Amino acid sequence: MPGGGFCKLPNGSVVVALSLPSPVEDGGTVRFLVHAVNRARALTRLRNLGLRAVYLRGNAEPPTPDEVTAVLHHPDGLLWRSSPGLADELWHPIRALLPQP
């Protein structure tokens, strides 16, 4: 079941975190972090990358302070990792998921 949440920053922007089922691993999840002006814009950024059925219902899994720091310090403002529960895996830029031309 997809889960997610958001947190509003002092400057008015938001960080949205979504956990979606992994297309590769059985039972695994992929955690996406998006920094945007508002929640709608964050979801639009994910939908424009091909994740069409992405919705944020509620605030059950908001981003942790470490996740907020990671996405704010990345120039694209869009990160992912495949194992949110494991601290060993680092965050990857979204370009790592997109096909290279």
Side-chain angles (χ1 to χ4, degrees), residues 3-26:
F6 68 94
C7 70
K8 194 164 185 145
L9 302 176
N11 66 356
S13 63
V14 297
V15 174
V16 173
L18 290 170
S19 298
L20 302 172
S22 174
V24 179
E25 301 174 20
D26 265 350

Side-chain angles (χ1 to χ4, degrees), residues 2-99:
F6 68 94
C7 70
K8 194 164 185 145
L9 302 176
N11 66 356
S13 63
V14 297
V15 174
V16 173
L18 290 170
S19 298
L20 302 172
S22 174
V24 179
E25 301 174 20
D26 265 350
T29 59
V30 177
R31 181 87 163 169
F32 289 94
L33 298 176
V34 185
H35 178 234
V37 176
N38 55 37
R39 286 180 284 172
R41 177 67 65 174
L43 295 176
T44 298
R45 289 185 71 189
L46 287 173
R47 289 181 187 131
N48 288 343
L49 293 171
L51 300 170
R52 299 289 179 204
V54 174
Y55 297 98
L56 182 61
R57 294 188 176 108
N59 200 14
E61 297 176 23
T64 65
D66 290 337
E67 291 176 335
V68 172
T69 301
V71 76
L72 288 179
H73 285 91
H74 194 272
D76 293 340
L78 188 54
L79 301 172
W80 69 276
R81 73 175 170 188
S82 60
S83 307
L86 299 176
D88 296 341
E89 185 179 4
L90 299 176
W91 290 98
H92 307 284
I94 197 66
R95 287 174 290 203
L97 284 178
L98 300 177

